[in-house]
Amino acid sequence: MARPRLAFVSIGQSPREDMVPEVLALSGAAPGEVEVREHGALDGLDEAGIAAGAPREREAVLFTRLADGRRVRLGAGFLARRLAPLLHRLDAEGHDLIVLASTSLFQPYRLRTPFVHAQQVVDAWIGALVMGEARIGVMHSLPEQHRGSAHGALMQSARAVAREDDIADFDEAAQRLAAANLILMHSVGYTEAMAEQLAARTGKPVVTARRILAGAIRLHLVALAARPPPVHPAEPGFGNEAEPLQALIDRLPGQTESLTPRERDVLMALLDGEGNKEIGRRLGISHRTVEIHRGRVMAKLNAGSAIELFRRLMLVRDL
């Protein structure tokens, strides 16, 4: 069986030797288990091209790393214009999985290739944990980034938000996050070693965006390993290959009956973070019909929400 082909996309320059190996290790991928190609939104740009991406007034700001180790601030609009053609090019190259390894990017991308969007994965993780009076402290790499948070009302339950640019010293962050029950290091730039330092200073459990991203990647790797081998066109069953997540969906406990093909389409779109209207436009049905299918999916899988389903999928096969 051929090794899964993964495309890692960062908002800086590749390769990201400071990030990709650790994320793969956290995902449980053994050395040589996957074939990885790295791509950066800034690849191929000279100094002038990178400088052109400086944030404009009132524009959302992102922080990333260049090939020489320098860190730069970039405008979200500039990065969006660089990422869209890159992702669509990769979508046509036959990868088994594309990973957008950056948080604080909220624009959705609709690809045919299975796709892990780090920000959406982190959002789902927060949504599965923030309930009632839960207190989650969130540490960003830039002061500006907390203003662009997409967590909405969920963030109102977080009692402390740390905004640190100097990641060498966590003392101030530890003081600000003292009242939190759990701390999320929101940027994929934060390493597991940094999480250990912050945990030692606060005495609180600390989770990195890298670890959350790795869990989502592992979910896909398990699904890829469960795929049936390709069927020869002359053999019965040709054309019925399972989609990557469908094998895991079939093994979810608590199902009362099988999903129809249309219900599967709706569920896959829900897990990708799409809303009812987006799903309806893509599938050519009304948003009310989507609501009906969605209700049937939740009833058949005995789930209360898409977030609950995501959390259960993460637990399948030791996730």
Side-chain angles (χ1 to χ4, degrees), residues 96-293:
D96 293 299
L97 180 65
I98 298 174
V99 179
L100 179 53
S102 177
T103 53
S104 300
L105 282 171
F106 305 112
Q107 178 177 340
Y109 296 94
R110 303 304 170 209
L111 307 178
R112 293 170 296 176
T113 305
F115 180 48
V116 173
H117 189 315
Q119 179 61 53
Q120 292 179 352
V121 171
V122 169
D123 280 344
W125 182 87
I126 292 176
L129 291 180
V130 178
M131 304 176 200
E133 293 301 309
R135 295 174 296 181
I136 294 185
V138 181
M139 183 171 174
H140 294 281
S141 56
L142 284 176
E144 300 92 333
Q145 288 177 334
H146 75 286
R147 301 190 191 103
S149 174
H151 306 316
L154 295 174
M155 289 302 298
Q156 295 178 11
S157 296
R159 302 293 179 82
V161 177
R163 299 180 291 276
E164 285 288 308
D165 187 54
D166 182 6
I167 58 178
D169 188 346
F170 295 128
D171 289 339
E172 182 180 352
Q175 184 176 4
R176 293 185 183 185
L177 298 172
N181 302 124
L182 180 147
I183 299 168
L184 167 64
M185 300 184 81
H186 194 280
S187 170
V188 293
Y190 292 128
T191 68
E192 289 296 299
M194 294 173 185
E196 292 177 5
Q197 292 178 40
L198 187 57
R201 284 169 167 78
T202 62
K204 304 294 174 63
V206 179
V207 179
T208 63
R210 289 187 181 190
R211 184 170 290 275
I212 298 170
L213 178 61
I217 292 170
R218 186 59 187 170
L219 178 69
H220 282 274
L221 291 179
V222 171
L224 288 169
R227 284 188 310 185
V231 181
H232 190 275
E235 297 178 8
F238 177 69
N240 294 324
E241 295 173 302
E243 292 295 330
L245 282 177
Q246 289 182 0
L248 287 180
I249 291 169
D250 288 337
R251 291 196 292 277
L252 275 174
Q255 296 189 48
T256 59
E257 57 182 300
S258 299
L259 302 180
T260 67
R262 180 59 83 192
E263 288 167 352
R264 284 178 176 273
D265 291 341
V266 170
L267 175 55
M268 299 292 282
L270 285 173
L271 293 174
D272 277 341
E274 295 186 35
N276 290 345
K277 291 184 179 179
E278 286 181 285
I279 297 171
R281 284 194 294 269
R282 185 155 66 83
L283 298 181
I285 57 180
S286 72
H287 72 277
R288 295 191 182 278
T289 301
V290 172
E291 291 174 359
I292 293 172
H293 286 307

Side-chain angles (χ1 to χ4, degrees), residues 10-15 38-46 67 82 86:
S10 71
I11 60 172
Q13 291 179 327
S14 64
E38 294 188 45
H39 308 268
L42 304 183
D43 287 353
L45 290 182
D46 57 17
R82 296 284 302 177
L86 172 57

Side-chain angles (χ1 to χ4, degrees), residues 3 50 58 63 65 90 99 142 178 200 249 265 304:
R3 294 183 300 166
I50 295 171
R58 297 184 179 179
F63 203 35
R65 183 178 181 275
L90 295 174
V99 179
L142 284 176
I249 291 169
D265 291 341

